[in-house]
Amino acid sequence: MTSSSNRVVIFDTTLRDGEQSPGCSMNLEEKLRVAQVLEEMRVDVIEAGFPIASNGDFEAVREVAKVIRTSRVAGLARAARRDIDRAWEALQGAARPRLHTFLSTSPLHMKYKLQMEPEQVHEAVVDSVSYARRLCDDVEWSPEDGSRTEHDFLCRCVESAIKAGAGTINIPDTVGYAVPEEFAALIAMLMNRVPNIDKAVISVHCHNDLGLAVANSLAAVRAGARQVECTINGIGERAGNASLEEIVMALRTRQDAMPYTSGIKTELITKASRLVSTITGFQVQPNKAIVGANAFAHEAGIHQDGVLKNAQTYEIMTPESVGLNRSTLVMGKHSGRHAFREKLKELGFELGDNMLQEAFRRFKELADKKKDVYDEDIIALVDDEVGRSKDHIRFVSLQVVCGSKGPQTADLELEIDGTVKLAHATGDGPVDATFNCIKKLVPHTARLQLFQVQAVTGGTDAQAEVTVRLEEEGKTVNGQGADTDTLVASCRAYVHALNKLLIKREKTEPAALSA
Ligand code: KIV
Ligand code: ZN
């Protein structure tokens, strides 16, 4: 695809740059779930990881490459043959593999980070791209810190990378320093000065340190870029990357100003956003464009009145266009298994028999407690079940004494490797007492890094969705739990995180934790 086309290639790096942000780690099963939704959304390229970085990253790229058939799957590599070989090995099962290699080109990075002279950097660019190209037909090259690179040197490296076989040249604004006019001018400068630029697709990769990642990316598209690198919910290093949903919806909504198209099925945006925030524990701020809880809410009476008369008075896009269907009362305590299965299908879940049975049991329990059961309730409940089949520890029951007259106490039953065990503990409040019970039953030294509670829907009978982040020896895991009882949800979330930690440990140690 050349830049004369108006089609913008969407390159999603949620699983690589997104996952690089502290606390955002995803396990293999979670990465596969995200990759599948990205493919369903028709993302053109899914960057699945940085295979040399760790065995976990390697495995994730390899498994994503095996299951993704229509999107391209990219693996990242530094400009070293060992890195490129590792990335290529991980991509072996891919239907449409892409090798993405990068090297810093700015004076600051060359001098202090690489400690290399420009000539050596240029040589390494030619060597790495030609080497990658001998392995793979689809090679992307990125000059890291491209926006702070001296223009003559950038042009020279880009020209050489294209000559060496790169089909995509990605210009990163690595530190989120650029402003839109300047970044657009940089892209225009490359389009004008690099003689073989028509042989490659120009891509951009913008970070959001000044809150300009989306504006810079769109300015670059107007200047000739035809690939945008972005992430779901804008997650990524530091302040994050350009957000996929904002780029795609800006292109869709402002065709008059930006006559470019993406191939994205925008109706899946909400689903992808919820999945990523549930898995990572990175909640989306309520006023975030496109996917924030308030993005389509009209509070002021005068606005509500306008929307009722004609939605376009205050809505520039429809909630349905991003897959936000007005919450409907879907199911009740009389709904049967068949209706439940149909509902799950409608929400995009295909569960195996065991998981379906467990989810249905939990749904019945919920319908008994909660007057109205909404789609969001069912999504939270299924998120709480998916991927739990290998868990060593299972929640059984919790009894808590709390209130202003202490002490707060908890009695907890957990099933650990098939045996039900009971603990009693006190604490500074009911959550602390509950977590102390877990520590008695499953002794561990992991530190609690995040404890976050969110109501799934409105009303005092709403389910609480809790995220717990644990850290042990530099490894972080996120656990989720949902229940109408906030303490039960908290306990489930902690147990989920602990199970993930045990699985991580099992990969490095033979024996698992047990009380
Ligand atoms: O921000 C950056 O420069 C990157 C590159 C590896 C593309 O993430
Ligand atoms: Zn980046």
Side-chain angles (χ1 to χ4, degrees), residues 457-487:
T457 57
T460 49
D461 64 351
Q463 283 193 98
E465 194 167 33
V466 177
T467 303
V468 161
R469 183 173 302 144
L470 297 179
E471 185 271 333
E472 187 185 65
E473 289 169 12
K475 295 192 180 92
T476 56
V477 286
N478 292 304
Q480 290 83 33
D483 202 278
T484 47
D485 185 313
T486 308
L487 292 164

Side-chain angles (χ1 to χ4, degrees), residues 170 199 212 257 404 412 430 510:
N170 176 48
K199 306 275 186 306
L212 293 171
S404 55
L412 174 67

Side-chain angles (χ1 to χ4, degrees), residues 12-271:
D12 180 278
T13 183
T14 306
L15 298 177
R16 200 276 299 168
D17 213 325
E19 209 244 0
Q20 252 167 253
S21 49
C24 213
S25 73
M26 301 180 217
N27 65 23
L28 176 61
E29 190 269 330
E30 291 164 341
K31 285 186 183 174
L32 285 169
R33 282 173 72 196
V34 172
Q36 269 153 348
V37 172
L38 293 175
E39 180 169 56
E40 212 186 321
M41 277 176 92
R42 304 192 189 136
V43 160
D44 299 288
V45 189
I46 300 172
E47 187 163 55
F50 191 0
I52 196 88
S54 68
N55 290 340
D57 251 51
F58 175 84
E59 203 189 342
V61 176
R62 190 184 56 193
E63 296 310 308
V64 168
K66 279 188 202 159
V67 299
I68 296 302
R69 296 292 90 182
T70 51
S71 306
R72 291 182 186 279
V73 177
L76 185 67
R78 287 170 301 189
R81 292 185 178 206
R82 202 169 65 91
D83 272 45
I84 296 170
D85 284 338
R86 190 76 173 140
W88 184 235
E89 193 188 338
L91 288 169
Q92 282 311 293
R96 308 176 77 201
R98 171 175 292 188
L99 274 175
H100 178 193
T101 180
F102 72 101
L103 186 62
S104 292
T105 50
S106 68
L108 260 171
H109 278 222
M110 288 192 291
K111 183 167 176 193
Y112 295 102
K113 181 181 140 178
L114 300 176
Q115 296 178 334
M116 282 166 83
E117 292 299 323
E119 268 324 302
Q120 293 172 295
V121 168
H122 179 261
E123 212 174 289
V125 171
V126 175
D127 184 69
S128 55
V129 174
S130 358
Y131 185 71
R133 189 65 171 74
R134 268 181 256 143
L135 302 173
C136 182
D137 286 344
D138 185 352
V139 172
E140 170 170 335
W141 179 70
S142 297
E144 190 183 358
D145 206 17
S147 58
R148 294 193 298 171
T149 296
E150 195 262 316
H151 287 192
D152 288 350
F153 188 58
L154 185 63
C155 288
R156 183 167 167 232
C157 289
V158 167
E159 183 181 351
S160 299
I162 297 173
K163 219 181 268 169
T168 301
I169 297 291
N170 176 48
I171 308 299
D173 181 27
T174 303
V175 291
Y177 182 72
V179 294
E181 296 75 15
E182 173 194 54
F183 198 56
L186 179 70
I187 301 303
M189 184 280 294
L190 289 169
M191 305 292 288
N192 288 329
R193 285 186 51 192
V194 176
N196 54 359
I197 200 78
D198 59 319
K199 306 275 186 306
V201 174
I202 301 301
S203 167
V204 287
H205 174 111
C206 297
H207 279 271
N208 206 29
D209 300 66
L210 293 174
L212 293 171
V214 169
N216 285 337
S217 306
L218 293 173
V221 168
R222 295 171 92 173
R226 288 296 177 272
Q227 175 177 287
V228 174
E229 303 200 352
C230 45
T231 59
I232 300 291
N233 297 340
I235 63 170
E237 284 277 13
R238 305 180 310 279
N241 289 65
S243 117
L244 180 147
E245 57 278 6
E246 292 177 25
I247 301 274
V248 166
M249 288 313 288
L251 292 179
R252 178 173 163 164
T253 307
R254 291 305 310 273
Q255 277 291 296
D256 56 332
M258 295 178 288
Y260 314 101
T261 55
S262 79
I264 298 294
K265 206 169 158 191
T266 61
E267 292 75 14
L268 290 172
I269 281 176
T270 299
K271 177 176 171 182

